Amino acid sequence: MSSLPSPMLDPFGRAITYLRVSVTDRCDLRCVYCMAEDMHFLPKKDVLTLEELERLSVAFIGLGTRKIRLTGGEPLVRRDVMRLVQRLGARIGVGAEQGLDELTLTTNGSQLARCAAGLAAAGMRRINVSLDTLDPAKFTLLTRWGKIGPTLEGIAAAKAAGLAVKINTVAMKGVNEDDFDALIAWCGEQGFDLCLIETMPMGEIGEDRTDQYLPLSVVRSRLRRRWTLDETDYRTGGPARYFGVRETGRRIGFITPMTHNFCESCNRVRLTCTGTLFMCLGQDDQADLRAVLRSGADDAALTAAIREAISRKPKGHDFIIDRRHDQPAVARHMSMTGG
Ligand code: SAM
Ligand code: SF4
């Protein structure tokens, strides 16, 4: 019987078992905190083929990765992405060195009505859907042109397909801070967990973001006026800290990269759709795995390149909004690195 590979350890002894893979930089929306309105997307030749994405994913699995999350851009706008989902899905539950514990997805939901059943059939069990408000007009404002209808229909399709849905909401001062109560209540009715995320200063978005930043410590104290939040030790393998909402019976998570150092237990690295590996969301150090792949490297050389990159994983990010120069802390957009 083959056994599980021992996971790669970074210089700080953290086991790297979680790979986030951005399958495209393109998106059908333009969320104000994520993209500029006139984003330029990558030429096709720069983007890894689905086969290349699979080969890299498999190399990571062979090095102890047990969880893969597909993201983007909007992963479901990539043509034939379901092929990759099926190929990786076939490895779920295979308890040996070519197996995965979990394959999952982060999506804006717009294409879910079409894809949800296929995702479930491929072995996906839970997905994250980003939704910052339930107000249709505000949704359009926040996404610059999106309509909330397809996202809500997509979420309903995911639920009907048996996928556990977690809603991700980016908290923005003066924008959606009055929407959280409605989101908590709605998630309770629907049977979804909710996760609030602090805005991170990533990429030029054509607007000033120092005004958007809303510390979740403040939000949590405000929520406590209306909801009873009970501490839990629930973890999903991601950086969120969860509380039980007594009134709804569901959970609420807080991802606080800005106020709380969430790096100590970091188990993940991020692969962009161009094959660049970022060892930290908030740092620029990277490894060009596309160059390795396209140089005709064999599996041993590919594995060696991944190990070398992990040996450079930094201890933590330094997200500080450069207020004087109004620069993002990290120049690349979240849609490139994959959130
Ligand atoms: N398009 C998909 C979606 O929206 O879920 C997947 C990619 S998106 C980049 C992944 C997550 O990153 C989303 O939940 C989004 O809200 C979040 N995100 C994007 N830009 C962000 C930023 N500057 N700060 C915090 N979260 C951000
Ligand atoms: Fe697109 Fe997701 Fe970025 Fe919004 S957050 S613009 S949906 S990639």
Side-chain angles (χ1 to χ4, degrees), residues 33-34 71-74 106-108 130 170 198-200 209 334 339:
Y33 47 79
C34 178
T71 176
E74 175 45 44
T106 298
T107 173
N108 64 30
S130 305
V170 175
E198 280 175 353
T199 327
M200 290 173 249
R209 38 169 115 236
M334 186 73 106

Side-chain angles (χ1 to χ4, degrees), residues 17-313:
T17 54
Y18 181 4
L19 176 68
R20 301 174 74 119
V21 181
S22 173
V23 300
T24 178
D25 63 326
R26 289 167 196 258
C27 187
D28 50 354
L29 302 179
R30 292 287 182 283
C31 300
V32 289
Y33 47 79
C34 178
M35 291 193 183
E37 189 161 7
D38 59 342
M39 285 291 283
H40 295 287
F41 295 113
L42 294 161
K44 197 171 168 206
K45 67 169 178 35
D46 291 350
V47 175
L48 296 186
T49 64
L50 291 177
E51 289 69 27
E52 288 173 320
L53 284 170
E54 184 187 355
R55 182 160 176 230
L56 279 176
S57 301
V58 169
F60 273 91
I61 294 169
L63 287 166
T65 288
R66 302 300 302 168
K67 173 171 171 178
I68 292 183
R69 175 177 299 279
L70 303 180
T71 176
E74 175 45 44
L76 298 179
V77 300
R78 175 146 186 189
R79 192 145 38 108
D80 295 337
V81 70
M82 293 306 283
R83 231 175 54 223
L84 180 65
V85 171
Q86 285 155 3
R87 304 272 306 169
L88 294 176
R91 295 172 181 273
I92 301 170
V94 178
E97 61 190 26
Q98 289 311 317
L100 271 181
D101 293 337
E102 185 170 27
L103 175 66
T104 179
L105 177 86
T106 298
T107 173
N108 64 30
S110 67
Q111 312 294 317
L112 264 181
R114 177 172 61 81
C115 301
L119 296 174
M124 235 177 239
R125 292 290 161 258
R126 37 180 204 142
I127 59 171
N128 290 354
V129 184
S130 305
L131 180 64
D132 300 323
T133 178
L134 287 167
D135 175 336
K138 204 180 278 186
F139 183 94
T140 299
L141 212 67
L142 276 173
T143 58
R144 290 208 182 88
W145 59 56
K147 298 261 183 287
I148 200 170
T151 291
L152 294 180
E153 284 155 30
I155 292 171
K159 185 176 166 183
L163 293 166
V165 174
K166 190 181 79 183
I167 301 295
N168 275 345
T169 301
V170 175
M172 286 159 281
K173 191 158 144 194
V175 179
N176 66 346
E177 55 187 314
D178 297 333
D179 296 37
F180 304 149
D181 286 334
L183 279 162
I184 293 173
W186 178 76
C187 284
E189 285 156 29
Q190 297 289 326
F192 303 152
D193 287 345
L194 173 68
C195 212
L196 300 182
I197 306 173
E198 280 175 353
T199 327
M200 290 173 249
M202 296 187 68
E204 281 299 339
I205 52 169
E207 291 168 34
D208 180 2
R209 38 169 115 236
T210 50
D211 296 336
Q212 291 177 355
Y213 173 60
L214 174 61
L216 289 185
S217 46
V218 172
V219 173
R220 194 157 56 224
S221 336
R222 276 196 226 148
L223 291 179
R224 282 202 150 109
R225 292 187 207 142
R226 164 135 182 220
W227 309 96
T228 320
L229 304 184
D230 295 317
E231 304 255 355
T232 69
D233 50 16
Y234 176 76
R235 309 285 309 181
T236 59
R241 186 166 159 219
Y242 283 92
F243 293 76
V245 185
R246 216 179 289 169
E247 289 80 359
T248 67
R250 302 302 312 180
R251 282 180 281 254
I252 183 165
F254 297 87
I255 301 187
T256 55
M258 306 296 286
T259 47
H260 175 261
N261 196 330
F262 76 149
C263 304
E264 284 126 54
S265 56
C266 183
N267 56 354
R268 49 203 175 273
V269 289
R270 293 172 156 86
L271 183 67
T272 71
C273 61
T274 58
T276 303
L277 187 72
F278 284 101
M279 285 71 86
C280 173
L281 180 63
Q283 298 274 2
D284 288 327
D285 196 21
Q286 52 182 270
D288 183 359
L289 297 181
R290 182 182 65 192
V292 181
L293 267 184
R294 293 188 179 172
S295 71
D298 62 10
D299 289 347
L302 188 55
T303 300
I306 295 172
R307 282 192 188 282
E308 186 282 324
I310 300 299
S311 76
R312 287 189 275 130
K313 184 167 162 64

